[in-house]
């Protein structure tokens, strides 16, 4: 389909440059101008082409960052990981979710949020009418800490630039930080408490909009807080729609 769009766009451009300034839109023989690029069909094809090129550029840039992360030896975690867990999802996502670090299942599969916490995150995303394919999901750390312990400050420092590059490439409208570590990093405040800022829109790193909420693993340990998380996700959906 993308190839067909490119070919049709090129044909319309060739007609215009060749001096063919009109075509007739059957069955009503409606005359449509090719003198400029205001024709709706032409503009739609052109915008589709531009968006396709931008998407491909983002995919290439993310792959370059992923290769950098694969070769990173900035901390000791690369020695014990099975797989790098870089991130996945829609590279044009309006919403980006950022957790703290991969767990056992994530390390096994090389994908973020695929264990129990990930399944809960998926349910919350779907609850507000989105799909995982609509958003982008990543972590602060790209390698699993031993025994799923908390990330160390030195590990975050060594890994944070990979996340920053992902954010700049994807350029989401809102970053939903899941838990303390991603919230502290992207808010620039290492003393911030998730319980006090969750559900509120903050201005964070490079003026990106930050929306903190509880990490799904916390919700698994504290089921009573799931209701709060649901309200946070509803609020997140409202904010996203207001920015369309």
């Amino acid at each position: 389909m993308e190839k067909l769009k490119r070919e049709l766009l090129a044909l319309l451009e060739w007609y215009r440059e060749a001096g063919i300034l009109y075509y007739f839109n059957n069955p009503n023989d409606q005359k449509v101008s090719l003198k400029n690029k205001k024709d709706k069909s032409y503009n739609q094809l052109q915008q589709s082409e531009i968006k396709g090129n931008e998407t491909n550029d983002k995919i290439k840039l993310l792959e370059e960052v992923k290769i950098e992360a694969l070769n990173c030896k900035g901390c000791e975690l690369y020695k014990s990981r099975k797989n790098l867990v870089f991130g996945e999802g829609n590279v044009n996502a309006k919403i980006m979710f950022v957790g703290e670090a991969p767990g056992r299942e994530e390390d096994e599969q090389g994908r973020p949020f695929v264990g129990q916490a990930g399944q809960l995150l998926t349910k919350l995303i779907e609850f507000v009418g989105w799909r995982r394919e609509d958003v982008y999901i990543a972590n602060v750390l790209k390698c699993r800490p031993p025994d799923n312990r908390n990330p160390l400050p030195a590990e975050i420092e060594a890994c944070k630039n990979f996340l920053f590059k992902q954010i700049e490439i994807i350029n989401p409208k809102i970053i939903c930080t899941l838990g303390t570590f991603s919230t502290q990093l992207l808010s620039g405040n290492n003393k911030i408490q998730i319980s006090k800022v969750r559900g509120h829109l903050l201005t964070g790193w490079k003026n990106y909009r930050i929306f903190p909420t509880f990490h799904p693993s916390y919700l698994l340990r504290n089921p009573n807080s799931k209701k709060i998380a649901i309200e946070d996700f509803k609020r997140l959906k409202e904010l996203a729609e207001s920015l369309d």
Side-chain angles (χ1 to χ4, degrees):
M1 181 59 73
E2 290 300 322
K3 181 180 179 182
L4 180 60
K5 288 180 181 178
R6 288 195 296 270
E7 291 175 349
L8 184 54
L9 180 60
L11 180 61
L12 289 173
E13 180 67 18
W14 184 86
Y15 281 153
R16 191 181 68 83
E17 292 180 353
I20 301 172
L21 301 180
Y22 301 94
Y23 68 88
F24 287 88
N25 185 17
N26 290 325
N28 299 318
D29 286 341
Q30 181 182 356
K31 194 176 184 181
V32 182
S33 173
L34 288 178
K35 283 184 179 180
N36 53 49
K37 297 183 180 180
K38 292 182 180 179
D39 173 63
K40 184 177 179 181
S41 298
Y42 187 97
N43 284 341
Q44 286 176 339
L45 286 166
Q46 188 179 47
Q47 290 302 315
S48 177
E49 178 75 3
I50 292 170
K51 187 174 181 180
N53 289 338
E54 289 176 348
T55 298
N56 289 335
D57 289 344
K58 286 185 175 185
I59 291 171
K60 290 177 183 177
L61 288 170
L62 286 169
E63 188 62 29
E64 290 174 5
V65 179
K66 183 176 181 179
I67 291 171
E68 288 181 37
L70 278 166
N71 293 322
C72 176
K73 296 182 180 178
C75 72
E76 298 296 304
L77 294 183
Y78 79 94
K79 294 179 179 179
S80 57
R81 75 175 183 221
K82 289 186 178 180
N83 286 292
L84 182 83
V85 183
F86 184 68
E88 68 178 26
N90 185 349
V91 298
N92 297 310
K94 296 176 183 178
I95 306 297
M96 181 173 178
F97 291 91
V98 179
E100 57 186 49
R104 183 177 61 83
E105 289 294 328
E106 290 76 17
D107 187 42
E108 289 282 348
Q109 298 185 39
R111 298 178 57 211
F113 284 93
V114 291
Q116 282 188 311
Q119 292 169 22
L120 179 53
L121 175 61
T122 300
K123 288 179 180 178
L124 288 167
I125 290 170
E126 292 175 346
F127 180 83
V128 295
W130 291 330
R131 302 171 301 163
R132 276 185 69 114
E133 293 81 6
D134 297 326
V135 303
Y136 194 90
I137 303 174
N139 281 303
V140 173
L141 298 190
K142 309 306 182 191
C143 301
R144 180 195 180 197
D147 301 318
N148 291 358
R149 62 161 170 74
N150 289 336
L152 300 177
E155 293 166 350
I156 294 173
E157 185 65 26
C159 210
K160 67 181 184 181
N161 283 332
F162 299 126
L163 174 63
F164 291 162
K165 289 178 182 179
Q166 285 175 296
I167 292 171
E168 288 185 311
I169 293 167
I170 295 163
N171 194 27
K173 290 188 175 182
I174 303 177
I175 302 170
C176 181
T177 52
L178 303 169
T180 299
F181 294 96
S182 55
T183 300
Q184 289 182 348
L185 174 64
L186 291 175
S187 69
N189 183 351
N190 61 8
K191 295 183 179 180
I192 205 166
Q193 296 180 30
I194 190 68
S195 59
K196 293 185 178 181
V197 296
R198 52 133 293 272
H200 296 281
L201 193 63
L202 311 176
T203 299
W205 177 76
K206 289 200 171 182
N207 291 320
Y208 277 98
R209 300 179 184 91
I210 307 298
F211 185 87
T213 190
F214 293 124
H215 195 284
S217 61
Y218 171 85
L219 299 177
L220 292 174
R221 298 191 302 270
N222 301 272
N224 291 336
S225 295
K226 288 182 182 179
K227 292 181 180 179
I228 299 174
I230 288 172
E231 293 305 313
D232 285 351
F233 270 72
K234 287 180 181 178
R235 173 65 176 152
L236 177 62
K237 179 72 176 294
E238 291 173 0
L239 289 169
E241 289 177 345
S242 71
L243 295 172
D244 286 342

